[in-house]
Amino acid sequence: MTRNEVRNARLGRAIRTVLLSAMLLAPAVSAGAEEAKPLRLCADPTNLPFSSDDPGEPGLYLEIGQAVAKKLGRTVSYNWYKSYFGKRTVRETLLSRQCDAMVGLPLVDDFMGPSVIFSKPIAHEGYALVAAKDRKVAGIDDLKGLRVAVQYQSTPQNLLAMRDDIQKVTVLSPEEGMTALDQGKVDVAFIWAPVAGWLNKTAYGEKYQVASTEGDGLLWQTAIGFARASGALRDEVDGVLPSLQAEIASLFAKYGVPNGTPVKFGQADQAVTSSTGASEPVTVGQATATEKPVQTAAVAGDAAAGRETFNGTCAHCHGPDAVQAERKINLRLLKQRYADDMEATFWKTVHDGRPAKGMPAWKDVFSDDELKNVYAYLQSVQETGGSN
């Protein structure tokens, strides 16, 4: 073999060695790149105590997501979307692959059907009894003779509806319930626990006790949600959650969200008792218990303008021109359902929302005049006759 042939043979072996090394390294590099992808979290930018786009105060859910990502060796990125759109938020973010995970979804069997899969539970959330620290609130009977703030159309309002020995004071939000308590208009507030705890910590200097409650519709587990195709990621997250329990508990404390042993409201507690000096439910700000809520949505309005607003904003849930086969959200049946209370019900629902049912509050989106136009339009399409 000549000198050139020897040199060429050595060069060929060197090239083969380099190529073989590259082939062997390629999967490792690819896997490393995959691991380095950020964990994309779906989040509301203005929903404290749960989430915020303020890096200095990101919120409970985002900090849990950040802790999970750190355990997985990933950075974090965010897809911001307002959460008051309810299930629509999940469809347009998580299920549209705009993000990988959504922290804090209710762990219930019928939530979004099989489209959403869940991690192991991370906590429980629900309603709480908020009262002065020296007041006993160990059960429903401790509320006898007291004025209790309950959120409009909430489980606590329904739970106490038949208790004539408890005066119910209807409020439209946890914030309003805390204000009523602080102003001495009620003795106890039976309201959404996470917001109550957050406000107690940040606005009221931990002045009150916030006791979680347990019972049908009062408390449920929460978890991290993923799209159905993300089972591998869900399994990864489940693998690190046990090591994060202490950190998660400290985050609940940081944001004032109660996560301790709840007060149990069993079936026996819901029994009707005889009334002595019974009082009717009232609304904060009313002079007497017999007055009706103020109806601020005037009949006068531009129905044509209201139709345009409705079809541009409300039709995705309630159908174009309010034509909707699902009776519970068929707005052409409002008059049948509520009769003379149709206007008051419309105003409370549209103006202040029903977040638990996926209905956002529109008071910061549309002016009162625009909402009056929508009401005028809905009046014009009400069906008569039949049953609701």
Side-chain angles (χ1 to χ4, degrees):
M1 181 179 292
T2 66
R3 182 178 300 177
N4 286 339
E5 288 175 332
V6 171
R7 184 172 62 250
N8 290 337
R10 289 175 177 173
L11 180 60
R13 286 196 297 271
I15 292 173
R16 287 194 296 272
T17 301
V18 170
L19 290 175
L20 180 60
S21 298
M23 292 172 63
L24 292 173
L25 288 173
V29 171
S30 176
E34 183 67 26
E35 290 175 5
K37 285 184 178 180
L39 179 66
R40 301 175 302 159
L41 299 176
C42 315
D44 187 325
T46 56
N47 190 34
L48 286 172
F50 298 121
S51 60
S52 164
D53 58 4
D54 177 3
E57 198 168 56
L60 172 64
Y61 289 165
L62 284 198
E63 291 212 42
I64 290 174
Q66 291 166 356
V68 168
K70 184 176 180 181
K71 281 287 185 179
L72 295 177
R74 296 193 184 196
T75 58
V76 179
S77 66
Y78 308 100
N79 179 267
W80 303 112
Y81 198 97
K82 295 297 292 182
S83 59
Y84 56 55
F85 288 109
K87 291 182 178 180
R88 176 184 170 190
T89 299
V90 180
R91 285 194 295 269
E92 297 195 8
T93 57
L94 187 66
L95 300 186
S96 296
R97 312 300 296 215
Q98 301 301 309
C99 50
D100 304 312
M102 183 176 285
V103 183
L105 291 182
L107 186 53
V108 293
D109 293 337
D110 61 349
F111 184 82
M112 307 294 290
S115 299
V116 176
I117 59 176
F118 298 93
S119 71
K120 296 174 181 177
I122 57 173
H124 56 254
E125 295 170 17
Y127 292 93
L129 292 167
V130 187
K133 290 186 176 181
D134 60 353
R135 184 180 292 281
K136 180 185 176 184
V137 285
I140 197 170
D141 286 337
D142 292 330
L143 306 181
K144 288 180 180 179
L146 301 181
R147 301 164 299 164
V148 180
V150 290
Q151 288 177 237
Y152 179 64
Q153 292 200 337
S154 67
T155 301
Q157 185 181 49
N158 296 335
L159 180 65
L160 301 186
M162 302 300 291
R163 294 293 297 247
D164 292 335
D165 54 350
I166 300 171
Q167 179 174 307
K168 283 73 70 177
V169 180
T170 302
V171 297
L172 299 176
S173 67
E175 292 84 355
E176 189 177 346
M178 292 295 290
T179 299
L181 179 64
D182 200 56
Q183 293 178 349
K185 295 179 179 179
V186 299
D187 305 301
V188 178
F190 197 173
I191 56 179
W192 185 238
V195 176
W198 168 250
L199 291 174
N200 185 47
K201 184 177 181 70
T202 59
Y204 297 100
E206 298 186 330
K207 179 178 178 180
Y208 301 103
Q209 59 171 309
V210 183
S212 296
T213 60
E214 181 179 4
D216 188 24
L218 291 174
L219 187 74
W220 49 89
Q221 291 181 315
T222 59
I224 303 172
F226 308 84
R228 179 173 52 185
S230 299
L233 175 60
R234 187 272 308 276
D235 293 344
E236 285 186 65
V237 171
D238 277 348
V240 301
L241 280 178
S243 65
L244 290 171
Q245 291 309 301
E247 187 172 350
I248 290 174
S250 69
L251 288 173
F252 270 78
K254 174 181 177 179
Y255 287 94
V257 179
N259 196 28
T261 303
V263 174
K264 293 186 178 181
F265 278 57
Q267 290 298 319
D269 293 326
Q270 300 181 36
V272 179
T273 59
S274 60
S275 60
T276 305
S279 57
E280 294 295 321
V282 299
T283 299
V284 169
Q286 289 180 266
T288 68
T290 57
E291 292 178 353
K292 285 183 176 290
V294 176
Q295 299 183 6
T296 53
V299 173
D302 186 336
R307 178 176 181 268
E308 182 177 352
T309 300
F310 182 93
N311 282 334
T313 303
C314 313
H316 72 276
C317 283
H318 297 285
D321 291 335
V323 176
Q324 169 60 255
E326 191 173 349
R327 298 186 69 83
K328 67 180 181 179
I329 56 174
N330 182 354
L331 300 186
R332 290 178 173 244
L333 301 178
L334 292 175
K335 190 68 176 178
Q336 291 185 40
R337 288 198 184 100
Y338 302 109
D340 292 341
D341 291 329
M342 171 182 165
E343 186 179 350
T345 301
F346 166 86
W347 196 254
K348 281 186 176 181
T349 303
V350 176
H351 193 261
D352 297 291
R354 294 179 183 173
K357 296 182 180 294
M359 174 69 177
W362 295 106
K363 60 185 177 182
D364 295 325
V365 179
F366 295 109
S367 68
D368 287 355
D369 286 340
E370 288 173 312
L371 294 179
K372 290 174 186 177
N373 292 341
V374 173
Y375 179 72
Y377 169 65
L378 290 176
Q379 279 189 311
S380 74
V381 297
Q382 290 304 295
E383 296 177 3
T384 58
S387 61
N388 58 352

